[in-house]
Amino acid sequence: MWKFVVRRILIMIPQLVVLSVLVFILAKVMPGDALSGLVETPGVDSSTIEDMRTNLGINDPVHVQYLNWIKGLSQGDLGTSYIHQRPVLELLEARLWNTVYLSAAILFLTYLIAIPLGITAGRFHDSLVDKLIVGYNYVTYATPLFIFALLMLFVFGFQLQWFPTGGSTDINLEPETFSYYMDKIYHLLLPALSGALLATVGTIQYLRNEIIDTKMKDFIKTAKSKGVPEAKIYSHHILRNSFLPIAAFLGYEITGLITGSIFLESIFSYPGIGQLFLQSISQRDFSVVTALVMVTGVATLIGTLLSDIILSLVDPRIRVE
Amino acid sequence: MSNDDILLQVEDLTTSFRIDDQYYPANDHINLDVYENEIVAIVGESGCGKSAFGHSIMGMHSQEQTKISGKIHFKGADLLSYSNTQLNKVRGKEISMIFQDPLTALNPLMIVGKQIEEGMKYHTKLSKNKRKQKAIEILSEVKIPQPERVYSQYPHELSGGMRQRIVIAIAIACEPSLIIADEPTTALDVTIQARIIDLLKELKRRMKTSIILITHDLGVVSEMADRIAVMYTGEFVEIGETKNFLKNPLHPYSKSLLHSLPSKNNQGEKLHVIKGVVPSLNHLQRQGCRFKPRMSGTDDSIHEETPTLREVEKGHWVRCTCYKHFQIDNHNQVVEGEKDDVFQGQ
Ligand SMILES: Nc1ncnc2c1ncn2[C@@H]1O[C@H](COP(=O)(O)OP(=O)(O)OP(=O)(O)O)[C@@H](O)[C@H]1O
Ligand code: SF4
Ligand SMILES: [Mg+2]
């Protein structure tokens, strides 16, 4: 088991190198840099800008720039935001956590909704409940996130006023107190619920199909022929086998959450990295964009790592390989 | 064998499957007695309804897809009148099943020891430790080397033959009085087949269990079975004691099956192939003799409209009006023989 985990983590090293090179290239090919915006500014002539560029290392050979960048990364230096005039790390920190909270909340709510629905649909497939659940799936699959989120915000935020309409917390509250945390959760709820309600599609569909498939397997017949009651056949045999693809899906799910957060955070004015991402792109704050792409990439790698570790925990066939 | 020794009595069993909202019988008014401590083999080509029969006895069919009628008397009760909960008390404890494919019959995520124990959880009051102890004993009974170690192995760590031994171990875990073995050796290598057969024979001798052995392999049958029941399109066409049957098969279908078997006598010859295929449920002609479409040159005047199963000598039953007129010729086809000697048996 541990051997597997260690080996799996070692595999991440080349993945990280490839990711960093890709991100670096991406950063380089993006048109303009942070200083291009200054070209038209009165009082700043082009030689001044050239000097600034040299000072920033922008004119160094590419591989030197890459190595410098990696060196910085390893020390937690993600560069400086030219727009905010602050280290990117500092800028990211608080927002990154907000996004992590939001993603975790979405993931939690997604599974909370999707798992019971998926199991019910699979167990009673072709029944009326199954058809209702599949119908719900079609609807959520076809609904665009940004429209749905706007609708939720309008109805529950502005009309009914059940939830706050923006931010991640009430600034008047003393940090680290109970009511502060409750307030954070309160701010999370509406965006998380909006994201989760649409994110259930994959999990429900997978779980449902997997249960329908597993039900027909020979080893289920074996269990039945032993006299195992139906409820126990589900809990001991069908469900565990059916959860495998859900676990395998987790890495993908996490990537989806991060992309999804770009819309959600913008609509709910929730200060996370998604919102920052959009801002930074429009302001050409490329050191921030680059850092965010890198962070997202790492999160995806961690997601797949988690998937693999979970899979190896539940599936003995993977452990030996 | 007296009536007192009857363990299982299947009476007029009809099992129909739903295909496109219509029900078609895969077992058609079947009668069969199984005695204590007896091995009855059910043979027939693929699709004849052998598994459907085995599954019906244990109530394994899905209720939405299947209609069953008739009676299945077992130890004084009619299993067909049982609810699922009642059946769960019978399954695994009184009647258990050995499945064909050991690769798929075991849960890939559960150690084999737990899979053997599982039935005991519901059928016995044994403690956890006792169950484990018992499971290890059973593992050695089915001739698994290093039973303690194998107890905590997963199915994928074992070979096909070993897995089939585990499947057998599961079936005998609660010492049932009847085992339904559905093609227990078909998925295995020939050398391993023989060993599994030996194991089954030995277990049967020791545990005095009755076995319904489902197979399309007459070779296996001749070695093991006390009686043979030949099934064709959901009906028994011949039932007889093994020795009798092998020496003097009566039904043209039985003869064809025997002729398609490699043996010392037909070495080097081309094996007999029965003309045509088993019709599917929704294309089966249910009037008249169901085997007729696969015979060549029958004379309609001497056929009963619908032949019934009749006893022609003690314990030997056949569903064919004119069995005496048919023999297998050298052209690998069933053909008609002399006409005067019409079978009159009642
Ligand atoms: N659940 C089902 N729904 C519809 N038809 C079925 C179902 N199960 C079996 N059948 C059909 O019933 C007939 C008998 O099937 P059965 O599985 O009993 O055959 P078999 O004699 O066991 O054959 P084999 O040697 O291939 O196992 C076949 O025509 C098969 O296609
Ligand atoms: S001889 Fe006649 S009754 Fe007998 S199997 Fe052939 S067709 Fe059927
Ligand atoms: Mg079968």
Side-chain angles (χ1 to χ4, degrees):
Chain A
M1 179 67 221
W2 285 113
K3 260 198 207 146
F4 173 85
V5 172
V6 170
R7 206 166 345 135
R8 184 59 190 74
I9 290 175
L10 287 181
I11 293 174
M12 264 181 82
I13 293 175
Q15 287 176 333
L16 278 172
V17 172
V18 171
L19 175 70
S20 68
V21 171
L22 284 179
V23 170
F24 183 74
I25 292 173
L26 189 74
K28 283 291 122 186
V29 297
M30 279 198 262
D33 56 47
L35 303 186
S36 327
L38 295 177
V39 172
E40 302 287 303
T41 317
V44 182
D45 62 39
S46 56
S47 67
T48 321
I49 294 177
E50 231 13 68
D51 286 348
M52 286 168 81
R53 286 204 165 121
T54 311
N55 285 340
L56 285 167
I58 292 174
N59 289 337
D60 286 347
V62 177
H63 66 276
V64 176
Q65 288 187 41
Y66 173 73
L67 288 178
N68 281 338
W69 181 64
I70 290 290
K71 208 168 113 201
L73 270 188
S74 62
Q75 292 160 355
D77 175 13
L78 296 172
T80 310
S81 159
Y82 306 123
I83 302 292
H84 299 266
Q85 291 299 325
R86 281 166 64 195
V88 175
L89 184 68
E90 209 173 278
L91 201 63
L92 275 186
E93 232 175 356
R95 291 162 183 268
L96 189 59
W97 281 117
N98 279 338
T99 299
V100 169
Y101 296 144
L102 179 61
S103 303
I106 293 178
L107 206 58
F108 176 75
L109 287 176
T110 304
Y111 287 148
L112 195 70
I113 301 166
I115 290 176
L117 289 185
I119 292 176
T120 312
R123 179 159 181 175
F124 304 106
H125 94 274
D126 273 351
S127 69
L128 184 65
V129 255
D130 176 34
K131 287 185 178 130
L132 288 175
I133 292 170
V134 172
Y136 160 81
N137 250 10
Y138 276 121
V139 172
T140 54
Y141 181 66
T143 311
L145 178 60
F146 63 96
I147 292 182
F148 181 67
L150 275 175
L151 193 74
M152 292 286 278
L153 181 65
F154 179 73
V155 174
F156 296 104
F158 290 108
Q159 292 295 314
L160 298 172
Q161 306 201 339
W162 289 356
F163 295 99
T165 54
S168 71
T169 182
D170 189 336
I171 40 164
N172 299 324
L173 285 168
E174 182 82 16
E176 322 261 308
T177 58
F178 178 72
S179 48
Y180 170 79
Y181 287 117
M182 288 316 285
D183 188 60
K184 281 200 94 137
I185 292 176
Y186 185 42
H187 277 78
L188 262 181
L189 270 178
L190 193 57
L193 199 61
S194 309
L197 279 173
L198 295 195
T200 51
V201 170
T203 308
I204 292 180
Q205 197 60 28
Y206 262 85
L207 199 53
R208 175 180 179 274
N209 293 351
E210 206 53 36
I211 287 176
I212 293 171
D213 260 18
T214 311
K215 273 206 292 210
M216 304 301 213
K217 293 259 166 81
D218 282 354
F219 64 84
I220 300 305
K221 274 196 221 157
T222 307
K224 190 173 174 186
S225 79
K226 285 189 256 193
V228 182
E230 199 188 353
K232 299 283 183 196
I233 292 187
Y234 271 90
S235 55
H236 292 1
H237 296 278
I238 298 180
L239 292 186
R240 196 153 165 222
N241 279 278
S242 304
F243 275 122
L244 289 182
I246 306 293
F249 216 53
L250 183 69
Y252 181 81
E253 202 81 52
I254 288 179
T255 321
L257 282 176
I258 292 170
T259 4
S261 72
I262 293 178
F263 292 114
L264 279 178
E265 290 174 4
S266 307
I267 289 165
F268 289 96
S269 338
Y270 184 85
I273 58 168
Q275 198 198 28
L276 180 65
F277 189 71
L278 280 190
Q279 276 173 12
S280 307
I281 285 185
S282 58
Q283 294 167 336
R284 297 202 168 173
D285 198 352
F286 289 135
S287 49
V288 177
V289 174
T290 315
L292 280 175
V293 173
M294 190 69 200
V295 165
T296 315
V298 171
T300 310
L301 287 184
I302 291 176
T304 45
L305 174 76
L306 273 180
S307 289
D308 285 356
I309 291 178
I310 293 175
L311 267 184
S312 80
L313 279 176
V314 284
D315 192 342
R317 287 165 297 188
I318 290 178
R319 254 173 272 165
V320 284
E321 277 159 28
Chain B
M1 276 180 275
S2 73
N3 277 358
D4 300 345
D5 298 335
I6 293 181
L7 175 69
L8 176 84
Q9 191 169 32
V10 177
E11 231 184 280
D12 210 22
L13 174 75
T14 299
T15 301
S16 311
F17 292 122
R18 194 173 77 187
I19 303 171
D20 300 333
D21 291 328
Q22 278 249 48
Y23 283 89
Y24 298 92
N27 288 164
D28 221 341
H29 301 283
I30 280 193
N31 291 285
L32 184 75
D33 296 343
V34 177
Y35 295 88
E36 308 249 11
N37 197 19
E38 180 195 36
I39 301 185
V40 184
I42 306 210
V43 296
E45 288 164 286
S46 191
C48 280
K50 306 181 298 290
S51 299
F53 177 66
H55 282 57
S56 297
I57 294 173
M58 279 181 82
M60 298 287 286
H61 294 298
S62 93
Q63 273 151 359
E64 300 94 56
Q65 295 296 322
T66 328
K67 259 193 204 152
I68 303 188
S69 64
K71 288 203 163 60
I72 298 176
H73 300 289
F74 178 81
K75 295 198 169 173
D78 176 14
L79 295 185
L80 280 188
S81 69
Y82 269 22
S83 69
N84 227 343
T85 323
Q86 287 172 304
L87 276 175
N88 275 336
K89 299 257 180 298
V90 177
R91 294 184 192 126
K93 181 165 192 291
E94 298 286 352
I95 309 178
S96 62
M97 210 154 187
I98 297 171
F99 294 92
Q100 173 172 345
D101 190 353
L103 296 183
T104 54
L106 297 171
N107 185 341
L109 304 186
M110 201 187 248
I111 58 171
V112 296
K114 290 270 173 251
Q115 303 195 43
I116 296 170
E117 271 173 42
E118 196 178 17
M120 299 179 211
K121 249 192 333 207
Y122 304 104
H123 302 310
T124 69
K125 294 199 169 66
L126 295 179
S127 68
K128 213 171 165 214
N129 280 334
K130 281 268 158 48
R131 288 202 300 261
K132 176 167 182 179
Q133 214 178 315
K134 182 98 193 286
I136 291 173
E137 266 168 44
I138 294 169
L139 279 169
S140 50
E141 268 181 58
V142 296
K143 307 274 172 5
I144 297 239
Q146 295 180 281
E148 281 90 359
R149 200 171 73 93
V150 173
Y151 175 91
S152 35
Q153 282 186 314
Y154 287 95
H156 72 267
E157 298 173 83
L158 304 172
S159 68
M162 291 278 260
R163 283 190 229 184
Q164 193 59 316
R165 284 169 198 271
I166 303 291
V167 173
I168 294 173
I170 291 174
I172 63 170
C174 299
E175 293 160 20
S177 38
L178 175 65
I179 294 175
I180 301 168
D182 191 350
E183 317 242 9
T185 60
T186 311
L188 303 172
D189 288 348
V190 184
T191 45
I192 297 165
Q193 281 185 4
R195 275 183 239 152
I196 294 290
I197 294 295
D198 286 343
L199 174 66
L200 282 174
K201 279 201 283 196
E202 188 197 317
L203 288 173
K204 187 248 167 184
R205 202 165 28 208
R206 200 147 36 86
M207 298 171 51
K208 309 237 176 301
T209 316
S210 300
I211 299 181
I212 295 180
L213 177 69
I214 296 173
T215 179
H216 53 247
D217 184 350
L218 272 167
V220 170
V221 166
S222 55
E223 259 192 70
M224 261 187 96
D226 299 303
R227 281 192 304 145
I228 293 180
V230 180
M231 188 177 265
Y232 185 72
T233 56
E235 294 179 329
F236 285 125
V237 294
E238 186 163 359
I239 301 175
E241 281 171 29
T242 305
K243 245 190 261 154
N244 241 336
F245 174 85
L246 292 176
K247 214 167 48 199
N248 185 25
L250 298 177
H251 197 282
Y253 183 58
S254 313
K255 291 184 188 179
S256 302
L257 284 179
L258 280 168
H259 269 254
S260 49
L261 196 70
S263 75
K264 285 195 199 80
N265 303 332
N266 62 8
Q267 258 171 17
E269 279 174 42
K270 217 170 92 193
L271 281 182
H272 172 70
V273 178
I274 307 174
K275 198 178 82 170
V277 290
V278 181
S280 60
L281 290 186
N282 43 354
H283 293 111
L284 173 65
Q285 186 58 41
R286 284 166 208 281
Q287 263 99 50
C289 174
R290 295 184 181 185
F291 191 57
K292 196 173 170 198
R294 296 180 70 182
M295 295 184 63
S296 48
T298 52
D299 178 348
D300 286 340
S301 66
I302 55 165
H303 289 271
E304 237 178 21
E305 177 57 26
T306 307
T308 52
L309 202 59
R310 311 171 200 219
E311 194 167 21
V312 290
E313 55 184 316
K314 188 152 181 0
H316 196 161
W317 298 72
V318 67
R319 186 191 294 277
C320 169
T321 31
C322 40
Y323 66 94
K324 282 184 179 169
H325 303 278
F326 299 96
Q327 56 195 348
I328 309 276
D329 73 353
N330 293 331
H331 305 296
N332 295 340
Q333 270 187 4
V334 182
V335 295
E336 199 179 350
E338 312 96 64
K339 280 198 188 124
D340 43 336
D341 198 0
V342 176
F343 164 51
Q344 307 283 344
Q346 293 291 323

